[in-house]
Amino acid sequence: MAAAPPPSLSYRTTGSTCLHPLSRLLGVPLDQVNFVACQLVALFAAFWFRIYLSPGKTSPEVRHTFATIFGIYFVIFCFGWYSAHLFVLVLMCYGIMVTASISNIPRYSFFVAMGYLTICHISRIYIFHYGILTTDFSGPLMIVTQKITTLAFQVHDGLGRRAEDLSAEQHRLAIKVKPSFLEYLSYLLNFMSVIAGPCNNFKDYTAFIEGRHIHMKLLEVNWKQKGFHSLPEPSPTGAVIHKLCMTLVALLLFLTLTKTFPVTCLMDDWFVHRANFLTRLGYLYVVMQASKPKYYFAWTLADAVNNAAGFGFSGVDKNGNFCWNLLSNLNIWKIETATSFKMYLENWNIQTAIWLKRVCYERVPWYPTVLTFVLSALWHGVYPGYYFTFLTGILVTLAARTVRNNYRYCFLSSRTLKLVYDVVTWAVTQLAVSYTVAPFVMLAVEPTISLYKSMYFYLHIISLLIIIFLPVRPQAHMQMQPQTLNSVNKKKAD
């Protein structure tokens, strides 16, 4: 793994330096301070946007313009001249949108966007030595790449394919008219999602801008049966407050737990050479747990920003409660209580899994799982540690599925046995995930090999033995296709 940068370099950024005194006071790198500052300003701007620039008070063009200008300002504030990469990619792909034939729009957009992203990934690692001396602009570029490719395929579905050839979801999201330049910029660069995402659909976004987003979801419910004479008006305030509380807890954990157990602990001489195996196992779990709060913080705050603007309403649950999780990128409770590898992966980086399914898994004619894995790996970047995580994840997923199919039914005869099964599988799942994702946060080859050698490659060996010697049994419930996709793509924390 690349060595930690000297303290002075932690405060270098190509973005704004006006918060440098605060960065020094908190002892937090300046680019991270800029990121949090932009997201907090975006949160207040989102409330203002919903109240004072609501669809009933102003036109869609004004809402598009405000969202775009504010988003561009945030990108420049955080990344300085590196923001040019985002703007160049957006302009190139809009050129493809208006000049290429309908059949070529998704193909050209995909290869240009993914090619540009990959070049940027490579330059940060092999030209700038693992990005230590550069501001990490790859996050927004990854989000923009998702949106560009999503939009390109949905335009093709609406204008270049027959309705009978589309799945129900593809038909619902198909776009019948190419977006204008302002709509294109607003969708890709709006202040609510340009910094931390998540990816969303163009139809959902334009419905939100035009004031139809919540109304469409509410029409799916028979409100007269519930005693309403008109459609209710759901407020996102409760959902935003709940998510901000979760964000605050994640921030506190990041400032305490993450600082106390940094990933560099896994390269200490004590851990690698002197600690016994069980100690290493437990310590690895703690360090990997400590690495998660930053993802919980960033993704939950991004979700809250969108909700504050009035975007992200997903409908009404079975209890009649309004839900604001259309854009949620994780389910923390299900992650921390997961009793299977599949359950863990299905609730981590949710929107990226959906994107991979929509642009790759459902569209390629051959080897969808393998090609989805390849796309996910390339999108995440070219750090060697990422590929260790993906390859290990595939192995563990196959082994976990085999064990589940062979033995789970034996524990369903009583509540006590089921409880024992759940406790054991929870512990195994958490330890397996910690082992699998460690290379993802370590990045480089040498520390990854050192870690796995110190752990005797135990999970690789156990997984291989299970795959080789246990019989292959069919799954009890054949609903595995999209789940298999998640297994391949989600092994990333992005």
Side-chain angles (χ1 to χ4, degrees):
M1 185 175 180
S8 61
L9 294 180
S10 298
Y11 304 102
R12 291 182 56 176
T13 178
T14 54
S16 172
T17 59
C18 67
L19 297 178
H20 187 213
L22 180 61
S23 172
R24 293 182 63 87
L25 177 65
L26 298 176
V28 177
L30 181 54
D31 57 344
Q32 295 180 17
V33 172
N34 285 348
F35 167 82
V36 174
C38 276
Q39 288 297 81
L40 291 178
V41 173
L43 180 67
F44 289 106
F47 277 114
W48 187 89
F49 185 75
R50 179 169 61 88
I51 296 169
Y52 295 103
L53 288 183
S54 64
K57 295 180 180 179
T58 190
S59 67
E61 288 74 20
V62 172
R63 284 167 61 83
H64 277 305
T65 302
F66 179 88
T68 304
I69 292 174
F70 234 50
I72 290 173
Y73 173 76
F74 283 166
V75 173
I76 295 173
F77 182 87
C78 283
F79 306 106
W81 69 268
Y82 276 141
S83 59
H85 288 291
L86 243 68
F87 306 144
V88 166
L89 179 58
V90 168
L91 292 176
M92 284 195 301
C93 289
Y94 185 72
I96 292 171
M97 179 69 67
V98 297
T99 59
S101 64
I102 296 299
S103 60
N104 285 326
I105 285 176
R107 186 179 301 119
Y108 293 168
S109 296
F110 180 87
F111 284 110
V112 168
M114 283 301 303
Y116 197 92
L117 176 64
T118 302
I119 290 171
C120 290
H121 278 319
I122 292 172
S123 69
R124 294 196 68 253
I125 297 177
Y126 298 108
I127 297 178
F128 295 110
H129 187 52
Y130 280 60
I132 284 178
L133 303 181
T134 67
T135 301
D136 187 4
F137 61 91
S138 61
L141 199 61
M142 292 163 73
I143 299 298
V144 164
T145 297
Q146 287 185 341
K147 290 184 176 182
I148 286 171
T149 52
T150 296
L151 178 56
F153 278 105
Q154 290 172 352
V155 167
H156 180 246
D157 289 342
L159 298 176
R161 298 177 65 189
R162 297 180 302 175
E164 55 267 30
D165 294 334
L166 303 176
S167 68
E169 183 181 56
Q170 289 171 346
H171 187 270
R172 178 178 66 85
L173 297 174
I175 298 168
K176 302 294 186 180
V177 178
K178 288 184 180 181
S180 68
F181 185 56
L182 177 59
E183 290 173 329
Y184 194 84
L185 290 181
S186 178
Y187 173 61
L188 297 179
L189 300 175
N190 69 82
F191 74 92
M192 297 165 292
S193 62
V194 69
I195 299 295
C199 179
N200 50 70
N201 297 298
F202 181 78
K203 261 194 169 180
D204 289 334
Y205 180 74
T206 53
F208 153 70
I209 289 291
E210 294 168 6
R212 299 179 287 106
H213 168 59
I214 295 176
H215 185 77
M216 291 190 310
K217 300 291 183 182
L218 291 175
L219 288 176
E220 299 172 3
V221 178
N222 189 336
W223 291 101
K224 288 188 177 180
Q225 288 184 353
K226 297 180 179 291
F228 288 83
H229 298 291
S230 60
L231 291 179
E233 297 183 8
S235 169
T237 304
V240 172
I241 291 174
H242 174 70
K243 290 171 184 178
L244 289 179
C245 289
M246 294 169 59
T247 298
L248 181 60
V249 172
L251 179 60
L252 292 175
L253 289 174
F254 174 75
L255 295 175
T256 54
L257 188 64
T258 306
K259 300 293 184 181
T260 305
F261 297 99
V263 69
T264 50
C265 292
L266 302 179
M267 292 175 283
D268 288 347
D269 181 70
W270 168 82
F271 178 88
V272 175
H273 298 294
R274 297 200 297 275
N276 62 53
F277 178 75
L278 291 179
T279 300
R280 291 172 188 162
L281 206 60
Y283 205 72
L284 175 62
Y285 171 73
V286 171
V287 172
M288 290 299 101
Q289 285 293 101
S291 70
K292 290 193 286 189
K294 66 178 180 180
Y295 298 103
Y296 291 170
F297 173 83
W299 287 341
T300 306
L301 181 56
D303 196 11
V305 169
N306 281 276
N307 290 170
F311 189 26
F313 182 69
S314 55
V316 182
D317 66 17
K318 60 183 180 182
N319 298 318
N321 300 315
F322 298 126
C323 298
W324 290 84
N325 57 8
L326 180 69
L327 305 177
S328 295
N329 222 2
L330 44 74
N331 186 318
I332 296 176
W333 174 253
K334 289 185 178 180
I335 288 170
E336 298 299 341
T337 60
T339 57
S340 71
F341 216 64
K342 179 173 75 71
M343 184 188 302
Y344 193 105
L345 301 177
E346 286 174 346
N347 292 285
W348 179 270
N349 208 355
I350 296 168
Q351 301 305 323
T352 293
I354 293 172
W355 169 70
L356 288 164
K357 176 170 73 78
R358 287 174 177 167
V359 304
C360 183
Y361 191 87
E362 294 180 341
R363 297 181 186 274
V364 295
W366 307 286
Y367 308 110
T369 299
V370 174
L371 292 176
T372 300
F373 154 71
V374 172
L375 173 59
S376 182
L378 286 175
W379 177 80
H380 279 102
V382 292
Y383 287 111
Y386 292 174
Y387 295 85
F388 277 99
T389 287
F390 272 102
L391 295 173
T392 303
I394 292 174
L395 195 65
V396 174
T397 299
L398 294 174
R401 184 185 302 146
T402 301
V403 171
R404 181 182 178 87
N405 292 344
N406 276 277
Y407 296 111
R408 184 174 184 270
Y409 73 93
C410 300
F411 294 87
L412 301 180
S413 57
S414 75
R415 295 182 64 179
T416 303
L417 283 176
K418 180 63 166 59
L419 178 61
V420 171
Y421 177 86
D422 287 343
V423 171
V424 171
T425 52
W426 171 82
V428 171
T429 297
Q430 300 300 322
L431 293 176
V433 169
S434 299
Y435 179 96
T436 303
V437 303
F440 179 80
V441 296
M442 300 179 81
L443 302 180
V445 174
E446 295 82 3
T448 296
I449 296 298
S450 175
L451 171 68
Y452 280 163
K453 284 176 65 177
S454 72
M455 306 294 290
Y456 310 111
F457 292 90
Y458 84 93
L459 194 58
H460 290 90
I461 294 171
I462 292 173
S463 298
L464 282 172
L465 291 176
I466 288 172
I467 293 169
I468 292 171
F469 292 108
L470 281 185
V472 177
R473 297 182 187 275
Q475 285 186 300
H477 339 277
M478 285 301 290
Q479 62 171 90
M480 74 187 243
Q481 299 238 278
Q483 277 79 348
T484 302
L485 161 69
N486 282 355
S487 306
V488 173
N489 38 192
K490 292 193 91 12
K491 254 325 31 318
K492 215 66 206 13
D494 284 58

mmCIF file of all heavy atoms in Angstrom, residues 346-371:
data_model
loop_
_atom_site.group_PDB
_atom_site.id
_atom_site.type_symbol
_atom_site.label_atom_id
_atom_site.label_comp_id
_atom_site.label_asym_id
_atom_site.label_seq_id
_atom_site.Cartn_x
_atom_site.Cartn_y
_atom_site.Cartn_z
ATOM 1 N N GLU A 346 -26.725 -7.232 -1.065
ATOM 2 C CA GLU A 346 -27.932 -6.626 -1.611
ATOM 3 C C GLU A 346 -28.254 -5.282 -0.964
ATOM 4 O O GLU A 346 -29.024 -4.490 -1.518
ATOM 5 C CB GLU A 346 -29.128 -7.565 -1.429
ATOM 6 C CG GLU A 346 -29.114 -8.755 -2.368
ATOM 7 C CD GLU A 346 -30.239 -9.724 -2.053
ATOM 8 O OE1 GLU A 346 -30.848 -9.609 -0.964
ATOM 9 O OE2 GLU A 346 -30.500 -10.601 -2.889
ATOM 10 N N ASN A 347 -27.696 -5.019 0.191
ATOM 11 C CA ASN A 347 -28.018 -3.796 0.921
ATOM 12 C C ASN A 347 -26.854 -2.815 0.975
ATOM 13 O O ASN A 347 -26.897 -1.847 1.728
ATOM 14 C CB ASN A 347 -28.478 -4.160 2.341
ATOM 15 C CG ASN A 347 -29.805 -4.871 2.338
ATOM 16 O OD1 ASN A 347 -30.846 -4.259 2.141
ATOM 17 N ND2 ASN A 347 -29.776 -6.186 2.510
ATOM 18 N N TRP A 348 -25.817 -3.068 0.180
ATOM 19 C CA TRP A 348 -24.642 -2.197 0.134
ATOM 20 C C TRP A 348 -24.515 -1.631 -1.272
ATOM 21 O O TRP A 348 -24.526 -2.365 -2.257
ATOM 22 C CB TRP A 348 -23.387 -2.997 0.510
ATOM 23 C CG TRP A 348 -22.131 -2.189 0.459
ATOM 24 C CD1 TRP A 348 -21.309 -2.019 -0.616
ATOM 25 C CD2 TRP A 348 -21.545 -1.424 1.518
ATOM 26 N NE1 TRP A 348 -20.258 -1.210 -0.305
ATOM 27 C CE2 TRP A 348 -20.378 -0.823 1.006
ATOM 28 C CE3 TRP A 348 -21.902 -1.190 2.846
ATOM 29 C CZ2 TRP A 348 -19.559 -0.002 1.790
ATOM 30 C CZ3 TRP A 348 -21.092 -0.375 3.612
ATOM 31 C CH2 TRP A 348 -19.936 0.203 3.090
ATOM 32 N N ASN A 349 -24.353 -0.307 -1.376
ATOM 33 C CA ASN A 349 -24.195 0.351 -2.672
ATOM 34 C C ASN A 349 -25.320 -0.050 -3.633
ATOM 35 O O ASN A 349 -25.096 -0.480 -4.762
ATOM 36 C CB ASN A 349 -22.828 0.023 -3.282
ATOM 37 C CG ASN A 349 -22.328 1.124 -4.190
ATOM 38 O OD1 ASN A 349 -23.015 2.100 -4.450
ATOM 39 N ND2 ASN A 349 -21.127 0.965 -4.691
ATOM 40 N N ILE A 350 -26.536 0.122 -3.159
ATOM 41 C CA ILE A 350 -27.727 -0.378 -3.846
ATOM 42 C C ILE A 350 -27.884 0.221 -5.240
ATOM 43 O O ILE A 350 -28.176 -0.491 -6.213
ATOM 44 C CB ILE A 350 -28.981 -0.085 -3.000
ATOM 45 C CG1 ILE A 350 -28.914 -0.860 -1.677
ATOM 46 C CG2 ILE A 350 -30.252 -0.429 -3.767
ATOM 47 C CD1 ILE A 350 -29.969 -0.417 -0.664
ATOM 48 N N GLN A 351 -27.691 1.526 -5.365
ATOM 49 C CA GLN A 351 -27.925 2.175 -6.657
ATOM 50 C C GLN A 351 -26.915 1.754 -7.716
ATOM 51 O O GLN A 351 -27.242 1.698 -8.910
ATOM 52 C CB GLN A 351 -27.920 3.703 -6.486
ATOM 53 C CG GLN A 351 -28.973 4.228 -5.514
ATOM 54 C CD GLN A 351 -30.383 3.788 -5.871
ATOM 55 O OE1 GLN A 351 -30.742 3.704 -7.050
ATOM 56 N NE2 GLN A 351 -31.189 3.502 -4.856
ATOM 57 N N THR A 352 -25.695 1.437 -7.300
ATOM 58 C CA THR A 352 -24.712 0.935 -8.261
ATOM 59 C C THR A 352 -25.111 -0.453 -8.752
ATOM 60 O O THR A 352 -24.961 -0.772 -9.940
ATOM 61 C CB THR A 352 -23.313 0.903 -7.626
ATOM 62 O OG1 THR A 352 -22.884 2.245 -7.385
ATOM 63 C CG2 THR A 352 -22.299 0.223 -8.539
ATOM 64 N N ALA A 353 -25.630 -1.291 -7.853
ATOM 65 C CA ALA A 353 -26.103 -2.611 -8.268
ATOM 66 C C ALA A 353 -27.237 -2.492 -9.277
ATOM 67 O O ALA A 353 -27.292 -3.235 -10.262
ATOM 68 C CB ALA A 353 -26.557 -3.408 -7.043
ATOM 69 N N ILE A 354 -28.138 -1.537 -9.044
ATOM 70 C CA ILE A 354 -29.255 -1.321 -9.977
ATOM 71 C C ILE A 354 -28.727 -0.856 -11.330
ATOM 72 O O ILE A 354 -29.188 -1.310 -12.389
ATOM 73 C CB ILE A 354 -30.241 -0.301 -9.387
ATOM 74 C CG1 ILE A 354 -30.931 -0.891 -8.148
ATOM 75 C CG2 ILE A 354 -31.270 0.133 -10.430
ATOM 76 C CD1 ILE A 354 -31.789 0.110 -7.393
ATOM 77 N N TRP A 355 -27.751 0.060 -11.306
ATOM 78 C CA TRP A 355 -27.167 0.556 -12.557
ATOM 79 C C TRP A 355 -26.535 -0.586 -13.346
ATOM 80 O O TRP A 355 -26.746 -0.717 -14.561
ATOM 81 C CB TRP A 355 -26.117 1.626 -12.246
ATOM 82 C CG TRP A 355 -25.274 2.011 -13.415
ATOM 83 C CD1 TRP A 355 -25.666 2.705 -14.521
ATOM 84 C CD2 TRP A 355 -23.884 1.711 -13.621
ATOM 85 N NE1 TRP A 355 -24.609 2.868 -15.391
ATOM 86 C CE2 TRP A 355 -23.505 2.275 -14.864
ATOM 87 C CE3 TRP A 355 -22.922 1.050 -12.860
ATOM 88 C CZ2 TRP A 355 -22.211 2.164 -15.359
ATOM 89 C CZ3 TRP A 355 -21.630 0.939 -13.356
ATOM 90 C CH2 TRP A 355 -21.281 1.491 -14.592
ATOM 91 N N LEU A 356 -25.764 -1.432 -12.677
ATOM 92 C CA LEU A 356 -25.112 -2.553 -13.361
ATOM 93 C C LEU A 356 -26.142 -3.507 -13.959
ATOM 94 O O LEU A 356 -25.937 -4.037 -15.062
ATOM 95 C CB LEU A 356 -24.202 -3.294 -12.375
ATOM 96 C CG LEU A 356 -22.922 -2.552 -11.983
ATOM 97 C CD1 LEU A 356 -22.306 -3.171 -10.733
ATOM 98 C CD2 LEU A 356 -21.920 -2.569 -13.125
ATOM 99 N N LYS A 357 -27.222 -3.713 -13.235
ATOM 100 C CA LYS A 357 -28.263 -4.592 -13.756
ATOM 101 C C LYS A 357 -28.897 -4.003 -15.016
ATOM 102 O O LYS A 357 -29.122 -4.713 -16.002
ATOM 103 C CB LYS A 357 -29.329 -4.816 -12.677
ATOM 104 C CG LYS A 357 -30.526 -5.645 -13.124
ATOM 105 C CD LYS A 357 -31.403 -6.029 -11.945
ATOM 106 C CE LYS A 357 -32.203 -4.855 -11.418
ATOM 107 N NZ LYS A 357 -33.386 -4.547 -12.274
ATOM 108 N N ARG A 358 -29.151 -2.691 -14.985
ATOM 109 C CA ARG A 358 -29.892 -2.070 -16.085
ATOM 110 C C ARG A 358 -29.054 -1.848 -17.332
ATOM 111 O O ARG A 358 -29.587 -1.892 -18.452
ATOM 112 C CB ARG A 358 -30.480 -0.739 -15.615
ATOM 113 C CG ARG A 358 -31.655 -0.919 -14.661
ATOM 114 C CD ARG A 358 -32.142 0.386 -14.092
ATOM 115 N NE ARG A 358 -33.309 0.197 -13.227
ATOM 116 C CZ ARG A 358 -33.785 1.110 -12.405
ATOM 117 N NH1 ARG A 358 -33.194 2.307 -12.330
ATOM 118 N NH2 ARG A 358 -34.839 0.855 -11.650
ATOM 119 N N VAL A 359 -27.761 -1.573 -17.184
ATOM 120 C CA VAL A 359 -26.963 -1.273 -18.380
ATOM 121 C C VAL A 359 -26.159 -2.470 -18.861
ATOM 122 O O VAL A 359 -25.669 -2.455 -19.991
ATOM 123 C CB VAL A 359 -26.004 -0.080 -18.149
ATOM 124 C CG1 VAL A 359 -26.761 1.149 -17.696
ATOM 125 C CG2 VAL A 359 -24.880 -0.429 -17.179
ATOM 126 N N CYS A 360 -26.022 -3.507 -18.026
ATOM 127 C CA CYS A 360 -25.207 -4.642 -18.445
ATOM 128 C C CYS A 360 -25.938 -5.966 -18.294
ATOM 129 O O CYS A 360 -26.191 -6.648 -19.279
ATOM 130 C CB CYS A 360 -23.896 -4.668 -17.649
ATOM 131 S SG CYS A 360 -22.757 -5.989 -18.133
ATOM 132 N N TYR A 361 -26.287 -6.348 -17.080
ATOM 133 C CA TYR A 361 -26.793 -7.693 -16.818
ATOM 134 C C TYR A 361 -28.024 -8.024 -17.658
ATOM 135 O O TYR A 361 -28.138 -9.132 -18.189
ATOM 136 C CB TYR A 361 -27.121 -7.832 -15.328
ATOM 137 C CG TYR A 361 -27.388 -9.249 -14.900
ATOM 138 C CD1 TYR A 361 -26.354 -10.098 -14.522
ATOM 139 C CD2 TYR A 361 -28.688 -9.748 -14.879
ATOM 140 C CE1 TYR A 361 -26.608 -11.401 -14.138
ATOM 141 C CE2 TYR A 361 -28.954 -11.045 -14.492
ATOM 142 C CZ TYR A 361 -27.904 -11.874 -14.115
ATOM 143 O OH TYR A 361 -28.158 -13.156 -13.734
ATOM 144 N N GLU A 362 -28.937 -7.070 -17.802
ATOM 145 C CA GLU A 362 -30.167 -7.335 -18.551
ATOM 146 C C GLU A 362 -29.998 -7.196 -20.057
ATOM 147 O O GLU A 362 -30.918 -7.542 -20.809
ATOM 148 C CB GLU A 362 -31.264 -6.363 -18.090
ATOM 149 C CG GLU A 362 -31.711 -6.566 -16.662
ATOM 150 C CD GLU A 362 -32.787 -5.581 -16.245
ATOM 151 O OE1 GLU A 362 -32.944 -4.534 -16.912
ATOM 152 O OE2 GLU A 362 -33.472 -5.865 -15.257
ATOM 153 N N ARG A 363 -28.849 -6.727 -20.509
ATOM 154 C CA ARG A 363 -28.716 -6.388 -21.926
ATOM 155 C C ARG A 363 -27.723 -7.243 -22.700
ATOM 156 O O ARG A 363 -27.851 -7.359 -23.919
ATOM 157 C CB ARG A 363 -28.330 -4.905 -22.064
ATOM 158 C CG ARG A 363 -29.408 -3.962 -21.505
ATOM 159 C CD ARG A 363 -29.031 -2.512 -21.654
ATOM 160 N NE ARG A 363 -30.000 -1.641 -20.984
ATOM 161 C CZ ARG A 363 -31.127 -1.197 -21.535
ATOM 162 N NH1 ARG A 363 -31.421 -1.515 -22.773
ATOM 163 N NH2 ARG A 363 -31.947 -0.416 -20.844
ATOM 164 N N VAL A 364 -26.719 -7.801 -22.018
ATOM 165 C CA VAL A 364 -25.721 -8.577 -22.761
ATOM 166 C C VAL A 364 -26.272 -9.967 -23.072
ATOM 167 O O VAL A 364 -26.965 -10.571 -22.250
ATOM 168 C CB VAL A 364 -24.399 -8.683 -21.973
ATOM 169 C CG1 VAL A 364 -23.761 -7.316 -21.824
ATOM 170 C CG2 VAL A 364 -24.612 -9.316 -20.602
ATOM 171 N N PRO A 365 -25.979 -10.499 -24.266
ATOM 172 C CA PRO A 365 -26.532 -11.801 -24.650
ATOM 173 C C PRO A 365 -25.770 -12.995 -24.078
ATOM 174 O O PRO A 365 -26.312 -14.094 -24.005
ATOM 175 C CB PRO A 365 -26.454 -11.768 -26.181
ATOM 176 C CG PRO A 365 -25.310 -10.849 -26.477
ATOM 177 C CD PRO A 365 -25.297 -9.818 -25.386
ATOM 178 N N TRP A 366 -24.492 -12.789 -23.725
ATOM 179 C CA TRP A 366 -23.685 -13.902 -23.247
ATOM 180 C C TRP A 366 -23.005 -13.548 -21.930
ATOM 181 O O TRP A 366 -22.629 -12.399 -21.704
ATOM 182 C CB TRP A 366 -22.590 -14.272 -24.265
ATOM 183 C CG TRP A 366 -23.118 -14.513 -25.638
ATOM 184 C CD1 TRP A 366 -23.816 -15.598 -26.083
ATOM 185 C CD2 TRP A 366 -22.980 -13.646 -26.761
ATOM 186 N NE1 TRP A 366 -24.140 -15.461 -27.404
ATOM 187 C CE2 TRP A 366 -23.631 -14.262 -27.855
ATOM 188 C CE3 TRP A 366 -22.366 -12.401 -26.961
ATOM 189 C CZ2 TRP A 366 -23.697 -13.686 -29.116
ATOM 190 C CZ3 TRP A 366 -22.434 -11.830 -28.216
ATOM 191 C CH2 TRP A 366 -23.084 -12.464 -29.273
ATOM 192 N N TYR A 367 -22.837 -14.545 -21.085
ATOM 193 C CA TYR A 367 -22.078 -14.426 -19.827
ATOM 194 C C TYR A 367 -22.421 -13.147 -19.046
ATOM 195 O O TYR A 367 -21.544 -12.342 -18.731
ATOM 196 C CB TYR A 367 -20.578 -14.462 -20.104
ATOM 197 C CG TYR A 367 -20.137 -15.624 -20.938
ATOM 198 C CD1 TYR A 367 -19.689 -15.436 -22.250
ATOM 199 C CD2 TYR A 367 -20.189 -16.926 -20.434
ATOM 200 C CE1 TYR A 367 -19.289 -16.517 -23.032
ATOM 201 C CE2 TYR A 367 -19.790 -18.011 -21.225
ATOM 202 C CZ TYR A 367 -19.347 -17.799 -22.514
ATOM 203 O OH TYR A 367 -18.958 -18.862 -23.281
ATOM 204 N N PRO A 368 -23.684 -12.932 -18.730
ATOM 205 C CA PRO A 368 -24.049 -11.674 -18.070
ATOM 206 C C PRO A 368 -23.356 -11.471 -16.722
ATOM 207 O O PRO A 368 -22.958 -10.344 -16.400
ATOM 208 C CB PRO A 368 -25.572 -11.794 -17.897
ATOM 209 C CG PRO A 368 -25.858 -13.254 -17.967
ATOM 210 C CD PRO A 368 -24.853 -13.812 -18.925
ATOM 211 N N THR A 369 -23.205 -12.544 -15.948
ATOM 212 C CA THR A 369 -22.573 -12.389 -14.637
ATOM 213 C C THR A 369 -21.115 -11.995 -14.772
ATOM 214 O O THR A 369 -20.628 -11.082 -14.087
ATOM 215 C CB THR A 369 -22.705 -13.689 -13.818
ATOM 216 O OG1 THR A 369 -24.089 -13.981 -13.617
ATOM 217 C CG2 THR A 369 -22.015 -13.551 -12.462
ATOM 218 N N VAL A 370 -20.402 -12.667 -15.665
ATOM 219 C CA VAL A 370 -18.974 -12.376 -15.854
ATOM 220 C C VAL A 370 -18.788 -10.957 -16.376
ATOM 221 O O VAL A 370 -17.942 -10.199 -15.878
ATOM 222 C CB VAL A 370 -18.341 -13.394 -16.816
ATOM 223 C CG1 VAL A 370 -16.895 -13.001 -17.128
ATOM 224 C CG2 VAL A 370 -18.394 -14.794 -16.227
ATOM 225 N N LEU A 371 -19.567 -10.568 -17.379
ATOM 226 C CA LEU A 371 -19.416 -9.235 -17.957
ATOM 227 C C LEU A 371 -19.838 -8.147 -16.975
ATOM 228 O O LEU A 371 -19.260 -7.055 -16.971
ATOM 229 C CB LEU A 371 -20.229 -9.137 -19.247
ATOM 230 C CG LEU A 371 -19.702 -9.995 -20.405
ATOM 231 C CD1 LEU A 371 -20.624 -9.914 -21.610
ATOM 232 C CD2 LEU A 371 -18.297 -9.571 -20.796
#
